[in-house]
Amino acid sequence: MTERQQFIDLFLEINSQINLSAIRDVDWVYTKHILDSLELTKIVDLSDYTTLCDVGTGGGLPLLALSRYNQENNCRIKLYGIDARRKKIDAITTMIDQLWIKNCTALWSRSEDHHHQYDIVTARAVAYADHIIARSLPLCKKNGYICLYKQSDPIERSEIIKQCKQHSLVLQQEHHYSLFAWDIQRVIYILHKQ
């Protein structure tokens, strides 16, 4: 069994006990969770950084997928997942332990308890732009990056631009993509903290 299959099987097993995701199909876990999470690696070289925090990590994605990528590509970045829901952090910790994932820690904590510690802050399917930027900003070091996984939406994009002006952020990059032929349009916004 491949490492990818082990991850998917364990994710589905835990998901059947604790609701981590509405997706319960092997192929969709791979496409909609793992591939989507790894899209960031197409535009950000993780080996250039030392710390990454996945805020509101929930079911552990992109945290776990990026951790596996990190391990397979000999990157030295240390990854943290933060969530205020204990049962989800316990589930992620179980996956980290059982899959022998290194350089990855799940923390039962609120984002307010972490200040200016991380080079990269990721947020995937957590909250609308104004809320997630406000939660992510204190986590990010000066000259760090906030990476938002979003559906392509011109109204939310306008909100992101507004938030950037309010918080001394620069919208450095927009990476548009879809995961399969009939998929929604997705985008990763890379915000640089000045």
Side-chain angles (χ1 to χ4, degrees), residues 30-40 62 124 149 177 179 186 188:
Y30 176 66
T31 303
K32 291 187 173 185
H33 282 323
I34 296 172
L35 287 182
D36 188 43
S37 295
L38 292 175
E39 194 70 24
L40 182 66
R124 179 178 176 264
Y149 291 74
Y177 64 102
L179 297 171
R186 302 171 189 268
I188 297 175

mmCIF file of all heavy atoms in Angstrom, residues 30-40 62 124 149 177 179 186 188:
data_model
loop_
_atom_site.group_PDB
_atom_site.id
_atom_site.type_symbol
_atom_site.label_atom_id
_atom_site.label_comp_id
_atom_site.label_asym_id
_atom_site.label_seq_id
_atom_site.Cartn_x
_atom_site.Cartn_y
_atom_site.Cartn_z
ATOM 1 N N TYR A 30 -8.579 12.398 -2.411
ATOM 2 C CA TYR A 30 -7.321 12.669 -3.104
ATOM 3 C C TYR A 30 -7.411 13.967 -3.912
ATOM 4 O O TYR A 30 -6.553 14.851 -3.788
ATOM 5 C CB TYR A 30 -6.947 11.499 -4.014
ATOM 6 C CG TYR A 30 -5.702 11.776 -4.820
ATOM 7 C CD1 TYR A 30 -4.470 11.924 -4.193
ATOM 8 C CD2 TYR A 30 -5.763 11.947 -6.199
ATOM 9 C CE1 TYR A 30 -3.319 12.219 -4.913
ATOM 10 C CE2 TYR A 30 -4.616 12.234 -6.926
ATOM 11 C CZ TYR A 30 -3.402 12.364 -6.285
ATOM 12 O OH TYR A 30 -2.286 12.660 -6.997
ATOM 13 N N THR A 31 -8.464 14.103 -4.724
ATOM 14 C CA THR A 31 -8.565 15.260 -5.620
ATOM 15 C C THR A 31 -8.897 16.547 -4.878
ATOM 16 O O THR A 31 -8.200 17.553 -5.007
ATOM 17 C CB THR A 31 -9.628 14.999 -6.706
ATOM 18 O OG1 THR A 31 -9.277 13.815 -7.417
ATOM 19 C CG2 THR A 31 -9.721 16.152 -7.681
ATOM 20 N N LYS A 32 -9.985 16.511 -4.099
ATOM 21 C CA LYS A 32 -10.485 17.753 -3.501
ATOM 22 C C LYS A 32 -9.733 18.183 -2.254
ATOM 23 O O LYS A 32 -9.811 19.350 -1.869
ATOM 24 C CB LYS A 32 -11.972 17.616 -3.181
ATOM 25 C CG LYS A 32 -12.836 17.558 -4.425
ATOM 26 C CD LYS A 32 -14.305 17.590 -4.054
ATOM 27 C CE LYS A 32 -15.174 17.713 -5.288
ATOM 28 N NZ LYS A 32 -16.593 17.853 -4.955
ATOM 29 N N HIS A 33 -9.060 17.250 -1.605
ATOM 30 C CA HIS A 33 -8.312 17.630 -0.407
ATOM 31 C C HIS A 33 -6.803 17.642 -0.650
ATOM 32 O O HIS A 33 -6.152 18.659 -0.458
ATOM 33 C CB HIS A 33 -8.627 16.688 0.757
ATOM 34 C CG HIS A 33 -9.936 16.973 1.423
ATOM 35 N ND1 HIS A 33 -10.433 18.239 1.615
ATOM 36 C CD2 HIS A 33 -10.858 16.130 1.954
ATOM 37 C CE1 HIS A 33 -11.594 18.178 2.231
ATOM 38 N NE2 HIS A 33 -11.874 16.909 2.454
ATOM 39 N N ILE A 34 -6.257 16.505 -1.081
ATOM 40 C CA ILE A 34 -4.800 16.409 -1.196
ATOM 41 C C ILE A 34 -4.271 17.253 -2.353
ATOM 42 O O ILE A 34 -3.370 18.084 -2.169
ATOM 43 C CB ILE A 34 -4.352 14.939 -1.312
ATOM 44 C CG1 ILE A 34 -4.723 14.192 -0.017
ATOM 45 C CG2 ILE A 34 -2.856 14.849 -1.584
ATOM 46 C CD1 ILE A 34 -4.505 12.698 -0.062
ATOM 47 N N LEU A 35 -4.818 17.060 -3.551
ATOM 48 C CA LEU A 35 -4.338 17.853 -4.690
ATOM 49 C C LEU A 35 -4.567 19.341 -4.482
ATOM 50 O O LEU A 35 -3.719 20.164 -4.811
ATOM 51 C CB LEU A 35 -4.999 17.391 -5.993
ATOM 52 C CG LEU A 35 -4.526 16.059 -6.563
ATOM 53 C CD1 LEU A 35 -5.239 15.769 -7.880
ATOM 54 C CD2 LEU A 35 -3.011 16.045 -6.774
ATOM 55 N N ASP A 36 -5.721 19.679 -3.925
ATOM 56 C CA ASP A 36 -5.999 21.091 -3.660
ATOM 57 C C ASP A 36 -4.979 21.654 -2.678
ATOM 58 O O ASP A 36 -4.436 22.736 -2.881
ATOM 59 C CB ASP A 36 -7.418 21.245 -3.113
ATOM 60 C CG ASP A 36 -7.828 22.700 -2.995
ATOM 61 O OD1 ASP A 36 -7.546 23.489 -3.916
ATOM 62 O OD2 ASP A 36 -8.432 23.065 -1.968
ATOM 63 N N SER A 37 -4.688 20.908 -1.616
ATOM 64 C CA SER A 37 -3.710 21.356 -0.623
ATOM 65 C C SER A 37 -2.333 21.557 -1.231
ATOM 66 O O SER A 37 -1.625 22.510 -0.897
ATOM 67 C CB SER A 37 -3.619 20.328 0.516
ATOM 68 O OG SER A 37 -4.832 20.253 1.221
ATOM 69 N N LEU A 38 -1.945 20.644 -2.114
ATOM 70 C CA LEU A 38 -0.603 20.689 -2.709
ATOM 71 C C LEU A 38 -0.450 21.757 -3.791
ATOM 72 O O LEU A 38 0.670 22.030 -4.232
ATOM 73 C CB LEU A 38 -0.238 19.315 -3.281
ATOM 74 C CG LEU A 38 -0.041 18.213 -2.240
ATOM 75 C CD1 LEU A 38 0.203 16.882 -2.924
ATOM 76 C CD2 LEU A 38 1.095 18.554 -1.288
ATOM 77 N N GLU A 39 -1.541 22.369 -4.199
ATOM 78 C CA GLU A 39 -1.475 23.413 -5.228
ATOM 79 C C GLU A 39 -0.523 24.536 -4.803
ATOM 80 O O GLU A 39 0.157 25.134 -5.628
ATOM 81 C CB GLU A 39 -2.876 23.955 -5.503
ATOM 82 C CG GLU A 39 -2.985 24.785 -6.756
ATOM 83 C CD GLU A 39 -2.850 23.983 -8.054
ATOM 84 O OE1 GLU A 39 -3.112 22.765 -8.065
ATOM 85 O OE2 GLU A 39 -2.473 24.604 -9.076
ATOM 86 N N LEU A 40 -0.436 24.788 -3.511
ATOM 87 C CA LEU A 40 0.452 25.837 -3.009
ATOM 88 C C LEU A 40 1.908 25.582 -3.393
ATOM 89 O O LEU A 40 2.659 26.523 -3.650
ATOM 90 C CB LEU A 40 0.329 25.944 -1.487
ATOM 91 C CG LEU A 40 1.156 27.037 -0.809
ATOM 92 C CD1 LEU A 40 0.668 28.423 -1.229
ATOM 93 C CD2 LEU A 40 1.103 26.893 0.707
ATOM 94 N N PRO A 62 -4.668 22.111 4.584
ATOM 95 C CA PRO A 62 -3.529 21.540 3.871
ATOM 96 C C PRO A 62 -2.380 21.020 4.746
ATOM 97 O O PRO A 62 -1.408 20.492 4.218
ATOM 98 C CB PRO A 62 -3.029 22.704 3.014
ATOM 99 C CG PRO A 62 -3.338 23.918 3.818
ATOM 100 C CD PRO A 62 -4.642 23.602 4.517
ATOM 101 N N ARG A 124 -7.404 27.444 4.639
ATOM 102 C CA ARG A 124 -8.160 26.791 3.566
ATOM 103 C C ARG A 124 -9.578 26.512 4.072
ATOM 104 O O ARG A 124 -9.756 25.781 5.035
ATOM 105 C CB ARG A 124 -7.475 25.485 3.164
ATOM 106 C CG ARG A 124 -8.175 24.715 2.078
ATOM 107 C CD ARG A 124 -7.377 23.453 1.719
ATOM 108 N NE ARG A 124 -8.082 22.655 0.757
ATOM 109 C CZ ARG A 124 -8.855 21.605 1.073
ATOM 110 N NH1 ARG A 124 -9.005 21.254 2.336
ATOM 111 N NH2 ARG A 124 -9.477 20.932 0.134
ATOM 112 N N TYR A 149 -6.543 29.925 0.506
ATOM 113 C CA TYR A 149 -7.180 29.055 -0.488
ATOM 114 C C TYR A 149 -8.651 29.470 -0.564
ATOM 115 O O TYR A 149 -9.374 29.370 0.428
ATOM 116 C CB TYR A 149 -7.130 27.600 -0.047
ATOM 117 C CG TYR A 149 -5.796 26.913 -0.022
ATOM 118 C CD1 TYR A 149 -4.857 27.189 0.961
ATOM 119 C CD2 TYR A 149 -5.497 25.932 -0.961
ATOM 120 C CE1 TYR A 149 -3.650 26.508 1.016
ATOM 121 C CE2 TYR A 149 -4.295 25.240 -0.923
ATOM 122 C CZ TYR A 149 -3.378 25.538 0.065
ATOM 123 O OH TYR A 149 -2.187 24.856 0.121
ATOM 124 N N TYR A 177 -6.772 28.214 -10.565
ATOM 125 C CA TYR A 177 -6.678 26.815 -10.994
ATOM 126 C C TYR A 177 -8.011 26.108 -10.817
ATOM 127 O O TYR A 177 -8.919 26.614 -10.169
ATOM 128 C CB TYR A 177 -5.597 26.082 -10.180
ATOM 129 C CG TYR A 177 -5.883 25.960 -8.703
ATOM 130 C CD1 TYR A 177 -6.352 24.763 -8.155
ATOM 131 C CD2 TYR A 177 -5.672 27.044 -7.840
ATOM 132 C CE1 TYR A 177 -6.606 24.666 -6.790
ATOM 133 C CE2 TYR A 177 -5.922 26.933 -6.485
ATOM 134 C CZ TYR A 177 -6.398 25.749 -5.959
ATOM 135 O OH TYR A 177 -6.660 25.646 -4.617
ATOM 136 N N LEU A 179 -9.324 21.787 -10.309
ATOM 137 C CA LEU A 179 -8.780 20.461 -10.021
ATOM 138 C C LEU A 179 -9.193 19.415 -11.049
ATOM 139 O O LEU A 179 -8.531 18.404 -11.199
ATOM 140 C CB LEU A 179 -9.235 20.018 -8.622
ATOM 141 C CG LEU A 179 -8.733 20.910 -7.481
ATOM 142 C CD1 LEU A 179 -9.413 20.536 -6.181
ATOM 143 C CD2 LEU A 179 -7.222 20.809 -7.350
ATOM 144 N N ARG A 186 -10.865 28.009 -8.634
ATOM 145 C CA ARG A 186 -10.249 28.218 -7.332
ATOM 146 C C ARG A 186 -9.100 29.207 -7.479
ATOM 147 O O ARG A 186 -8.587 29.417 -8.568
ATOM 148 C CB ARG A 186 -9.709 26.890 -6.789
ATOM 149 C CG ARG A 186 -10.768 25.828 -6.649
ATOM 150 C CD ARG A 186 -10.155 24.463 -6.326
ATOM 151 N NE ARG A 186 -11.148 23.411 -6.403
ATOM 152 C CZ ARG A 186 -11.878 22.990 -5.372
ATOM 153 N NH1 ARG A 186 -11.707 23.536 -4.196
ATOM 154 N NH2 ARG A 186 -12.765 22.045 -5.529
ATOM 155 N N ILE A 188 -5.544 30.773 -5.077
ATOM 156 C CA ILE A 188 -4.750 30.976 -3.865
ATOM 157 C C ILE A 188 -4.222 32.400 -3.932
ATOM 158 O O ILE A 188 -3.557 32.797 -4.896
ATOM 159 C CB ILE A 188 -3.576 29.977 -3.758
ATOM 160 C CG1 ILE A 188 -4.107 28.540 -3.663
ATOM 161 C CG2 ILE A 188 -2.710 30.305 -2.535
ATOM 162 C CD1 ILE A 188 -3.026 27.483 -3.666
#
